[in-house]
Amino acid sequence: MFKIKELNEECGIFGGYCLSGNIAPYLKCGLLKLQHRGQESAGISFGGEFQKVIKNYGLVNSAIDNSFLKNAQGNFGIGHVRYSTFGDDRKENIQPLKITYMGEDVSLAHNGNVSQAKKIREKFERIGEVFLSSSDSEVILKRLIFSLKKKPSLWTFEEVAKCLVENFSSGSYCILIYLPNRIMGFRDNFGYRPLMFAKCNEGYFVASEDVAFYGLNVQEIVEIKPACGVEITKEGYEIKSFAQPKNICQCVFEQIYFSSPASNIFSKNVYATRIKLGEILFNSVDKNFKADVAIPVMDSGLGCAIGYSQASKIPFHLGLIRNSWMERSFIQPLQEKRTLNVRQKFMPVKSVIENKKIVLIDDSLVRGTTSCEIIKMLRQCGAKEVHMRSVSPKIINTCFWGVDIPTKEELIAYNKTDEQIAKQIGADSVKFLPQEMLSEVFEGNLWCKKCFRKDENEIFLP
Ligand code: SF4
């Protein structure tokens, strides 16, 4: 298997307790709404005291067949959609991961990246412990088992939290753990990834994004804050703090790219953020720029292009229709797949493109592969000029906290001028949101922006 880089995952998690006695269909529905967070595999673990796992490669609908759900039983469960970036897409890595210990089942689903996992794995292996997968999740689960050394039904929220803090304190994680008749959810100290809780008529649920709760009869939605978690039992739920949050680092890409526009992440609506980013982009770098049409790179570029169009008065049009059934290119692990997918993913609208001076708005430029292919496509459809704009600043550093940003050398913006980037992707011009303008949207010091800064990650490296 060809590996792009040795790192990270960006995933979606959903779980909880449902009053109806069969949580499995709720898990599937929740994961479908989080499908944008990972399309490589999906799985659910559900039941009561004993846990049944259904998981497979592919999108949620194909990985979790409805025929399994009809006769499913059990009020408790967790689910996961996965995108692997480690290049290791073996079946054992598909989550949730279930282990039976002292005759009791325990399952775990994880979103994030824990840098200490490698060292802990090596330590365990030296004493003869065997791992069935290469995922961090198995390391977390085994670390918990070794630390607590008692039946999972006896694990307390405080003991699990203590073990996470002591062993994985510099990583990024949102974790769901399914113990006999109990669900626990934890968000790390820094709060890199989002975790939301909902009290509904149907039960209690926890998810990466609040969009996963739509369709349920929601009474209340609460953001699980950094260094906090939730414990859900038949009797109810409790949201608890387990440590002092420090250096809060909410990933700005959750707003710019990953999350659904319908979600409210870190107390901000994602769609509104993207509109504002588009407006700021125009006002800060393009004040006197004129074009015939503003076209978004769908989907995350949509709100940004609307904002840019509103500020510039350049007419907004959908010049590229996205095939919703194709996978997203940034969250595809293989470079070859990316190039191929761009052509299958976007369908150009010739009447919008032909003889037009186009300003093409995207959320970011990572490797530049997608932009390059799209620009080629636009020119083949008769575009007069194509000017590329990115609502995120230049990404010039990699990420150790759960996002697949390649090595610096693979990043298109690393050590290149705007002109050099434009030449490489075949655009007439390229402009990025200036880094200092990001604070107009992401105010205060609660945000992680390390990938926009040179050598910043080395300072923060765990
Ligand atoms: S380094 Fe960039 S991608 Fe990684 S968590 Fe920070 S903002 Fe997000």
Side-chain angles (χ1 to χ4, degrees), residues 130-250:
V130 175
F131 287 85
L132 297 175
S133 75
S134 62
S135 82
D136 291 355
S137 312
E138 189 177 0
V139 177
I140 298 170
L141 204 42
K142 291 218 165 131
R143 182 65 268 175
L144 285 167
I145 285 168
F146 270 75
S147 294
L148 302 177
K149 291 193 182 72
K150 57 183 175 183
K151 285 183 174 225
S153 56
L154 301 176
W155 296 4
T156 67
F157 178 92
E158 289 70 24
E159 286 169 340
V160 174
K162 185 168 178 276
C163 177
L164 293 175
V165 169
E166 283 174 358
N167 292 282
F168 305 105
S169 58
S170 56
S172 78
Y173 57 80
C174 281
I175 294 174
L176 293 183
I177 303 175
Y178 169 23
L179 300 157
N181 293 319
R182 238 163 359 130
I183 303 289
M184 292 179 190
F186 299 90
R187 184 172 170 206
D188 71 70
N189 262 354
F190 303 96
Y192 284 103
R193 307 283 142 227
L195 192 64
M196 306 296 289
F197 169 81
K199 181 184 178 192
C200 309
N201 293 350
E202 294 86 348
Y204 313 116
F205 300 94
V206 57
S208 299
E209 296 177 34
D210 58 353
V211 73
F213 306 135
Y214 295 153
L216 294 166
N217 291 295
V218 175
Q219 295 172 27
E220 190 187 8
I221 293 180
V222 181
E223 180 186 351
I224 307 285
K225 299 284 182 199
C228 291
V230 61
E231 183 170 17
I232 301 171
T233 63
K234 281 178 185 162
E235 283 69 47
Y237 69 94
E238 197 178 344
I239 294 172
K240 312 180 204 188
S241 149
F242 58 83
Q244 276 303 315
K246 48 178 181 186
N247 302 332
I248 292 179
C249 272
Q250 301 168 145

Side-chain angles (χ1 to χ4, degrees), residues 192-193 249-253 258 398-403 405 448-452 457:
Y192 284 103
R193 307 283 142 227
C249 272
Q250 301 168 145
C251 172
V252 292
F253 271 100
F258 289 113
T398 189
C399 171
F400 297 88
W401 297 276
V403 174
I405 292 178
C448 177
K449 302 169 187 169
K450 292 169 205 159
C451 48
F452 305 126
N457 284 346

Side-chain angles (χ1 to χ4, degrees), residues 1 3 15 27 59 174 199 218 302 314 316 323 359 419:
M1 173 67 73
K3 290 180 184 181
L27 294 176
L59 300 174
C174 281
K199 181 184 178 192
V218 175
L302 177 66
I314 295 170
F316 166 90
N323 179 353
V359 57
E419 292 69 30

Side-chain angles (χ1 to χ4, degrees), residues 259-282:
S259 303
S260 162
S263 285
N264 298 288
I265 298 290
F266 311 137
S267 309
K268 282 172 98 71
N269 175 251
V270 173
Y271 183 70
T273 297
R274 291 178 188 171
I275 297 266
K276 198 165 174 195
L277 282 166
E279 288 170 358
I280 295 173
L281 176 68
F282 174 78

Side-chain angles (χ1 to χ4, degrees), residues 61 83 207 239 242 351:
N61 264 330
Y83 155 60
I239 294 172
F242 58 83
S351 60

